[in-house]
Amino acid sequence: MARWEPDARQRLERAALDLFVERGFDQATVPDITARAGLTTRTFFRYFADKREVLFGDEERLPELAAHLVDAAAPGLGPMAVVQQGLTILATNAFDGRRDEIRQRKVIIEGNDGLRERELRKMALLTDAVAAAFRARGVDDLSAAVVAQTAVGIVQVSLRRWIESDGETLLADLMDETFTTLNRAFGRAGLEGC
Amino acid sequence: MARWEPDARQRLERAALDLFVERGFDQATVPDITARAGLTTRTFFRYFADKREVLFGDEERLPELAAHLVDAAAPGLGPMAVVQQGLTILATNAFDGRRDEIRQRKVIIEGNDGLRERELRKMALLTDAVAAAFRARGVDDLSAAVVAQTAVGIVQVSLRRWIESDGETLLADLMDETFTTLNRAFGRAGLEGC
């Protein structure tokens, strides 16, 4: 039996991200990662199915968290108010404080076609989860679909800005700024419903 | 020299789409396609680099067309009004009348992981092109990014509804309905700017 390693998961993540940046994702092997982390490959596979999972391990967690934020919002709140509130909580709970790591992941993903497409797929799964959560709240299909798509669009735009920012800005604030900017763009269109 | 074949491109597309549906994308070969179309593989490669291009041939055309619609809009029009107008023109010029073919493509793409991810990538390229066109109009970076992301989100939601519809509805009308639904959702949020 391997002995218990404190923080093994984080050490493996750290080592993997560093190696993916240094050598490229395809070139860094699991033995390279475990050697760098000072752990065994056996330990690696206790935490991750493969090296891809180091980058996409939160894939199942994010849709679940987002759906929960929609479920848990006050019953009288309109879909867009739910989105605005949810974005702030999501940013604070799942992202703020992890900028360097998320930025590093982004660099790795951007440098590899397969990873980039998988990242896009991840966003599509997030959209589906949010739309389902809105339908469960009684929101009609069309509104649920377009509000979910828009919410994930705001997340994507805000994440990109956050990663390119000076590191002093909170993602929660950028989410709010992006939301407000879009809201104003609709307001300025001077169209029905506003 | 192969003799000139009227409608060769369309015959190849038709044959390819039918075979992709019947056998699956990976199983249908270029010789299968050309045999079905009654044309030579040489003719096939005059029109398409490979069988993937039959599905994604419009990949470069769509961002260009969308960017042009943004460029060509009246100078005083706000970004969201440009989007609303552009969506209708895009639907009419690039999609309406082609529903069966686009629906068939969708079925093929949904059935294949690699194709599905490529489709998502295509949408990301479209978003980039629209954002660049808005920046060229003098719209600030953040507004350009979030408006472009939202516009492409509306396209995606509307296309899905159109493909699932009875075939009597115009995509242009669904685009407008999706746009209006999102606009109303922002209106209902009761937030600043509306």
Side-chain angles (χ1 to χ4, degrees):
Chain A
M1 289 291 286
R3 69 194 173 85
W4 180 70
E5 295 283 356
D7 293 332
R9 188 191 174 94
Q10 272 166 302
R11 280 162 63 193
L12 288 165
E13 275 182 0
R14 189 77 269 131
L17 292 179
D18 286 345
L19 281 164
F20 293 161
V21 169
E22 287 168 26
R23 304 190 188 168
F25 177 78
D26 290 331
Q27 279 69 49
T29 66
V30 171
D32 292 340
I33 295 165
T34 54
R36 173 75 61 104
L39 294 164
T40 62
T41 56
R42 192 192 175 118
T43 303
F44 181 92
F45 290 115
R46 214 184 307 143
Y47 293 101
F48 306 104
D50 54 35
K51 62 180 183 171
R52 238 173 205 240
E53 218 185 292
V54 181
L55 292 170
F56 295 102
D58 59 346
E59 196 149 301
E60 282 131 45
R61 216 171 49 88
L62 199 58
E64 226 175 80
L65 177 56
H68 172 73
L69 292 174
V70 174
D71 288 343
L77 228 49
M80 273 304 166
V82 171
V83 166
Q84 188 177 29
Q85 172 187 288
L87 290 174
T88 309
I89 303 174
L90 190 76
T92 306
N93 290 2
F95 292 98
D96 273 321
R98 293 172 60 212
R99 181 172 162 275
D100 288 344
E101 173 205 337
I102 287 164
R103 187 186 201 165
Q104 211 175 1
R105 278 170 205 257
K106 179 93 175 170
V107 170
I108 296 159
I109 289 167
E110 286 298 313
N112 184 299
D113 279 359
L115 298 176
R116 212 161 47 200
E117 314 240 311
R118 169 119 179 219
E119 177 71 10
L120 292 169
R121 175 97 197 120
K122 180 174 144 179
M123 288 296 154
L125 292 174
L126 177 59
T127 308
D128 291 347
V130 173
F134 273 116
R135 286 195 304 272
R137 257 179 98 81
V139 171
D140 68 277
D141 282 10
L142 175 55
S143 297
V146 72
V147 165
Q149 191 89 43
T150 304
V152 174
I154 293 171
V155 169
Q156 287 178 284
V157 170
S158 305
L159 273 175
R160 217 177 303 135
R161 291 184 72 219
W162 187 50
I163 285 166
E164 289 162 5
S165 73
D166 55 15
E168 301 298 308
T169 318
L170 289 174
L171 178 62
D173 292 338
L174 293 178
M175 292 271 211
D176 208 64
E177 195 186 343
T178 307
F179 181 94
T180 305
T181 300
L182 183 58
N183 191 35
R184 283 218 189 95
F186 272 105
R188 266 207 304 268
L191 294 157
E192 182 197 12
C194 242
Chain B
M1 290 290 286
R3 70 198 173 83
W4 180 71
E5 295 283 355
D7 294 331
R9 189 190 174 95
Q10 273 167 302
R11 280 163 62 195
L12 288 165
E13 276 182 359
R14 187 78 269 135
L17 293 179
D18 286 345
L19 281 164
F20 293 161
V21 169
E22 287 168 28
R23 303 189 190 170
F25 177 78
D26 290 332
Q27 279 69 47
T29 65
V30 171
D32 291 340
I33 295 164
T34 53
R36 174 75 60 103
L39 294 164
T40 63
T41 56
R42 190 191 176 121
T43 304
F44 180 92
F45 290 115
R46 216 183 306 141
Y47 293 101
F48 306 103
D50 55 34
K51 61 180 183 172
R52 239 172 204 244
E53 218 187 291
V54 181
L55 292 170
F56 295 102
D58 58 347
E59 197 148 299
E60 283 131 46
R61 215 171 49 89
L62 199 59
E64 226 176 82
L65 177 56
H68 172 72
L69 292 174
V70 174
D71 288 345
L77 228 47
M80 273 302 166
V82 171
V83 166
Q84 188 178 28
Q85 172 188 287
L87 289 174
T88 309
I89 303 174
L90 191 75
T92 307
N93 291 3
F95 291 98
D96 274 319
R98 291 173 60 211
R99 182 173 163 274
D100 288 344
E101 171 205 339
I102 287 163
R103 186 185 200 166
Q104 208 174 7
R105 277 171 205 257
K106 179 90 174 172
V107 170
I108 297 159
I109 289 167
E110 287 297 313
N112 184 299
D113 278 359
L115 297 176
R116 212 160 48 199
E117 314 241 310
R118 171 122 178 215
E119 177 71 10
L120 292 168
R121 177 96 199 120
K122 180 173 144 179
M123 288 296 153
L125 292 172
L126 177 59
T127 308
D128 291 347
V130 173
F134 273 115
R135 288 196 302 273
R137 258 180 99 80
V139 171
D140 67 277
D141 282 10
L142 175 54
S143 298
V146 73
V147 165
Q149 192 89 44
T150 304
V152 174
I154 293 171
V155 170
Q156 286 177 284
V157 170
S158 307
L159 272 176
R160 217 176 304 135
R161 291 184 72 219
W162 186 51
I163 284 166
E164 290 162 4
S165 73
D166 55 14
E168 302 298 309
T169 319
L170 287 175
L171 178 62
D173 292 338
L174 293 178
M175 293 270 211
D176 208 64
E177 196 185 343
T178 308
F179 182 94
T180 304
T181 299
L182 183 59
N183 192 34
R184 283 215 190 100
F186 271 105
R188 266 206 304 268
L191 294 155
E192 181 197 13
C194 240

